[in-house]
Amino acid sequence: MSKLKQRIIEDMKSAMKAKDKEGLKAIRMILGAIKQREVDERIELVDEQVLAVIQKMVKQRKDSISQFKDAGRTDLIEIEEAELVVINNYMPAQLSENDITKVVDKAIAESGASSMQDMGKLMGLLKAQLEGKADMGVVSTIIRSRLS
């Protein structure tokens, strides 16, 4: 069993003992998503795969929050933000925009990218380096500003 999954299970047990209903609900949701992927693919996920599931959940929550803001549903925004706080506990520390810019500049220099046609090649290089450590939307925006 992956260390991250084990940590999530331990946190679920702690939430049960502490009678933290909201935290427990979010943790069970994470474990449910992990279990669903394991059953669908008939494998036991390793830490990187568990992290990918969690990243997907973070992205879904952020999308939901923006849609609820557009619809003026503050009650639902609060629920999604509470879930996002719990889910983010399992994400690695995120790089600052300044740090991302440094990594992008280094990748541009190493690959010799000079135009927007090189965007795909750069994203491929950077995705491997920054997966889980940075929002790839921010990375894409920085690349666009550098290459245009």
Side-chain angles (χ1 to χ4, degrees), residues 21-139:
K21 289 183 180 180
E22 295 303 314
L24 182 60
K25 178 182 167 195
I27 292 170
R28 282 183 171 159
M29 193 175 356
I30 295 167
L31 285 171
I34 292 168
K35 189 69 172 171
Q36 181 67 47
R37 179 142 177 231
E38 287 179 337
V39 169
D40 288 349
E41 298 179 17
R42 293 185 175 97
I43 58 170
E44 186 161 332
L45 300 181
V46 294
D47 277 343
E48 294 80 23
Q49 294 167 317
V50 171
L51 187 59
V53 170
I54 293 171
Q55 285 175 317
K56 183 177 178 183
M57 293 179 77
V58 168
K59 186 174 187 303
Q60 288 171 337
R61 296 301 165 289
K62 288 180 179 178
D63 290 345
S64 295
I65 289 169
S66 85
Q67 289 177 2
F68 292 148
K69 281 182 182 174
D70 292 344
R73 295 292 309 265
T74 55
D75 55 330
L76 296 175
I77 292 171
E78 291 171 8
I79 293 169
E80 294 290 321
E81 286 176 341
E83 289 174 358
L84 188 58
V85 168
V86 173
I87 294 169
N88 275 328
N89 288 334
Y90 303 104
M91 292 289 293
Q94 298 292 298
L95 294 175
S96 69
E97 197 165 323
N98 193 24
D99 292 337
I100 295 170
T101 302
K102 289 177 187 174
V103 174
V104 168
D105 288 343
K106 182 179 175 190
I108 289 172
E110 289 175 358
S111 68
S114 59
S115 69
M116 287 301 292
Q117 293 175 338
D118 299 321
M119 174 103 177
K121 181 171 66 171
L122 274 174
M123 285 299 288
L125 289 170
L126 292 169
K127 185 169 183 162
Q129 291 177 7
L130 300 175
E131 191 71 51
K133 299 176 190 166
D135 181 354
M136 294 311 286
V138 173
V139 174

Side-chain angles (χ1 to χ4, degrees), residues 6-21:
Q6 187 65 41
R7 181 177 146 213
I8 295 169
I9 291 170
E10 292 301 320
D11 288 350
M12 179 180 70
K13 291 175 185 176
S14 298
M16 285 177 171
K17 289 176 184 174
K19 299 189 185 327
D20 176 13
K21 289 183 180 180

